[in-house]
Each structure stands twice: as structure tokens, then as C-alpha cells.
Amino acid sequence: MKRLVAIIEWNLDGHRLPWFSYYCRACLDLGCQVVALCPEPEKAREYVSSFDEKYCDDARIRFAKLRVSFSPRFVPGRIRRKIRPYLFASHVRDRLKEAERDFGRKTDFFFFSCLLEHEEWYARKLVDTLHIPWSGLNLHARVNPSRNGSNGTHVFSMQSLFESRDLVSVGVIDEEMDLPIAQALNKPVVVMPEISDERYQKNHPFEERFRRFANGSKLVLVPGHLRPNKGIINLAKVAMDPAMSKVAFAFVGEVPWGLFSAKEREFFEYAITHAPSSIFHLNAIPDGPEYNAAIRSCDVLFAAYHDFSHSSNTLSKAAIFQKPLIVSDGYLMAKRVRAYRMGEVIPQNNSEATIQAIERLTQDYPGWEARVKPRWREYEERHSYKALIEAFAKLLSGASK
């Protein structure tokens, strides 16, 4: 008998739209019927249908609008903050009842497409309201020593939420988190692939534009949300260094100016108009063919983030399109790059080390590749759609017991 699975996503920014869409597709391919709850259902429908129109058959999937922000103006802010989770849970319950009437059956399982700590309050109220077997991706799961941990030695982010009696499994991105969380909860923990949209269009205008700009020079690219913690100030300094005069640089993505200090903003604005051999495309590029065209145009991917303990979809992109990476030492990204030999690891926020890494990757890349022997395909397979199907099969298995 088919299971009815609800997948809940809080927002569709950045890579979360592809993730949500792939999760819906995976459940459909596993024979489930799906209720897809998200803030922009038409946008999600369009993305899911881009895989194949069969994935949007009304007999198999229903898209419903998820309203996350509830702000009754007639009550004080302190009370609004308390009442919002109740309103949110009631809203989701009503959307599920509508879908259940359409499908003629009850929801068997629901999955939080991505859970962050600031969403825990909403999620906990929803879990307590629905009393349906559930799971979710604890995206930034971290474990810390604590005398108050459930096993006496550890606690992890959002542990109280995941101690829900209806929990059947936990999804994590970080492979080092499975054992401690499983020990703390005595529940299955599934390491999920960092799935990435790998579709591309040959001779896409973005790829041609950036390669034309490089004009035969090696191109270093930083893509995505251009936040200060992505090391873009350091890279801008490197781009203006005379030692890099024969290298081209591309800064591609939306700039959240509100996250910059006054000094950082002043410098980056100066770099935009003064950095030689640098191109700035300061608009968001949707994931898929556009984003991948930018990735394909480059010779080196810069992802040397500051104080960033998690992973990044940039690693999956690098593996798919076989582009060497530069990442900061000390965290998960560095461990993965070393394990799969996908690039250079440097001290964070170090301009000299950045220059040296770029030189190693651009002056004789065939020699570097022959010495290092990157394991691109292994990393790609570990984070492939096939791996996602296997992960969701494990996540769902507990719901049928």
C-alpha cells in the first residue's frame, strides 16, 4: 500500500529549492504519494516538473502553500512570539487535512526538509500537534560535551525536539554526527547526500561571458551568496595583488550588504571598481543551468569560508564539474577536501596562503592533478541522486514499523 508523505520546507532560498524538489522526487520514485508544503508552491511545482512532467501528476503529488510568518497586529510582540507556533501548527494541520481529503487517506509520515535552530520552536509545536511519525534534516547538527546530555556525555543541536515520541529517524549532512546522535536518541540516524542540481546547458551565455572575460587566463570563481564570512574580502585583496596580475577573478551572486561592517563594505565597493582582471556579477543566479554555467566557466572554485563548521553545496558542484577547490582549514569542508583530494586547504583569512594555493592550482594544473589524483567521481557518487533514494528509503523504513 502506498504511503502518504508530507514534506515541509520553510523557505526556498538558495539551494533549498533544489533540495526540497529532489526530496519530493525521491519519495515519488519510492512509490509514495506526496504533499509538498512550502511558501511558493508554484515555484516548487515548476522545479519538480523540470525533472519530468510525470512527477507533477495530481494523483501522486499535491503542492500546498505554507505560511510561516504570523503577526497579528492587535497583540503585543511578546505574545505574538508565543502564539505564532500555535498558529503555524494549526495552519499545517489544515493543509494536511485538505490533502488527505484529496488523496482519500491519512498522512503516514512527514519530513522537515531542512531544520535550523531558530525554527525549533515552530517544529516542536507542529510535532506535538500532529502526532504523526516524522523525521527531518538537522542541517547544522553539532554535538557538544555536557553533563546534562541524554547519554551523560553529549548534547546536540535541537536535541529536545528530536526526543519527540513520534520521531522515527534523523537526517544529517555531516557524516561525523551519526554515531553520537544515534547513541543519544537510540534512533536511526541517516547521513544524507548534499544533493546538487547537475544540469547544464552547453554554451550557456554565463559560461561564455565569464570565459570571454578571462580571455585565456585562469579564472578563480566565488559563487553564491556573497557574504563576508565566505572570504570575499580576502579574495578581493588577492585579486588586487600584483602577484595575481595574470589570473582572472569572478565574484558571482547576491551581496547582502547588511552583513558587512562599514570597513568591509567600503573596501569591497572599492574593489568592485578597482580590482584588475575581476568581474562582478552581483545578482542572484538560480541553481541549475545558470549557476552551473558559472561553475563550468572557472578553473578554481574559492570556498575558503571563515569560522564555518558545516559543509557546502559548492563541494558537490566541484565534484560534478571537476573543479579544484580552495577551502579553509579546521572544519568539515577541509576534512572532505582532504579525504577526496579535491583541492587546497589553507589557513582562513590568509591572503598569502590564498595566492600560493591559486598558483599551485593554475600554474601547472595537469601536474597537480597527476600528483594528487582527485577522487571526483567518488564524492559525486556519495552525494548523488541514487544516494538520496537510498537515504530516503532508510528514513522511511522506520515509519512502516
Side-chain angles (χ1 to χ4, degrees), residues 244 326 344 346 351-361:
M244 294 282 95
I326 297 175
E344 295 284 325
I346 63 172
S351 298
E352 184 59 34
T354 303
I355 290 173
Q356 292 172 1
I358 292 172
E359 289 175 341
R360 286 193 292 271
L361 292 172

Side-chain angles (χ1 to χ4, degrees), residues 163-184:
E163 288 174 338
S164 159
R165 67 180 184 179
D166 296 308
L167 178 79
V168 296
S169 56
V170 181
V172 296
I173 291 291
D174 187 345
E175 55 270 19
E176 295 182 350
M177 294 298 103
D178 59 346
L179 183 59
I181 294 178
Q183 290 176 337

Side-chain angles (χ1 to χ4, degrees), residues 110-139:
F110 74 90
F111 180 78
F112 290 107
S113 177
C114 181
L115 278 171
L116 299 172
E117 287 182 310
H118 69 274
E119 299 158 342
E120 181 179 7
W121 197 0
Y122 287 81
R124 183 182 297 136
K125 185 58 187 175
L126 179 58
V127 164
D128 292 341
T129 298
L130 295 180
H131 294 301
I132 297 171
W134 71 280
S135 180
L137 173 61
N138 188 342
L139 183 62

Side-chain angles (χ1 to χ4, degrees), residues 364-393:
D364 180 21
Y365 179 71
W368 179 91
E369 189 176 35
R371 290 192 306 274
V372 174
K373 297 180 175 60
R375 298 165 59 192
W376 305 117
R377 290 307 175 203
E378 291 176 63
Y379 193 91
E380 182 183 359
E381 289 171 5
R382 164 68 185 82
H383 296 274
S384 65
Y385 182 65
K386 178 183 177 183
L388 182 66
I389 290 283
E390 294 170 354
F392 258 96

Side-chain angles (χ1 to χ4, degrees), residues 261-393:
S261 68
K263 185 176 181 181
E264 288 171 335
R265 176 164 185 160
E266 180 182 7
F267 177 81
F268 195 59
E269 287 180 334
Y270 178 83
I272 290 171
T273 56
H274 290 80
S277 302
S278 298
I279 185 170
F280 295 82
H281 180 95
L282 305 183
N283 297 297
I285 296 179
D287 201 355
E290 293 89 349
Y291 197 97
N292 293 340
I295 299 290
R296 282 170 55 83
S297 72
C298 78
D299 298 283
V300 176
L301 272 169
F302 181 84
Y305 305 160
H306 299 169
D307 301 321
F308 188 78
S309 59
H310 314 296
S311 186
S312 168
N313 202 253
T314 301
L315 273 68
S316 298
K317 298 289 190 188
I320 290 167
F321 298 108
Q322 300 192 7
K323 302 294 182 179
L325 289 147
I326 297 175
V327 301
S328 294
D329 202 359
Y331 299 102
L332 177 60
M333 290 173 66
K335 291 178 182 178
R336 287 182 167 181
V337 166
R338 283 195 175 103
Y340 289 89
R341 304 193 290 270
M342 296 195 300
E344 295 284 325
V345 178
I346 63 172
Q348 70 176 20
N349 201 27
N350 187 313
S351 298
E352 184 59 34
T354 303
I355 290 173
Q356 292 172 1
I358 292 172
E359 289 175 341
R360 286 193 292 271
L361 292 172
T362 59
Q363 290 183 354
D364 180 21
Y365 179 71
W368 179 91
E369 189 176 35
R371 290 192 306 274
V372 174
K373 297 180 175 60
R375 298 165 59 192
W376 305 117
R377 290 307 175 203
E378 291 176 63
Y379 193 91
E380 182 183 359
E381 289 171 5
R382 164 68 185 82
H383 296 274
S384 65
Y385 182 65
K386 178 183 177 183
L388 182 66
I389 290 283
E390 294 170 354
F392 258 96

Side-chain angles (χ1 to χ4, degrees), residues 4 6 8 35 37 62-67 70 85-103 105-107 126 129-130 132:
L4 181 57
I8 300 172
V35 184
L37 286 158
R62 295 297 173 93
F63 294 85
K65 186 174 180 61
L66 182 71
R67 290 165 49 217
F70 297 89
Y86 292 85
L87 295 172
F88 173 73
S90 177
H91 167 71
V92 173
R93 183 187 58 204
D94 291 345
R95 299 291 78 75
L96 285 182
K97 284 183 177 179
E98 292 170 1
E100 288 171 349
R101 285 195 295 269
D102 291 339
F103 284 115
R105 58 175 303 158
K106 295 291 187 181
T107 304
L126 179 58
T129 298
L130 295 180
I132 297 171

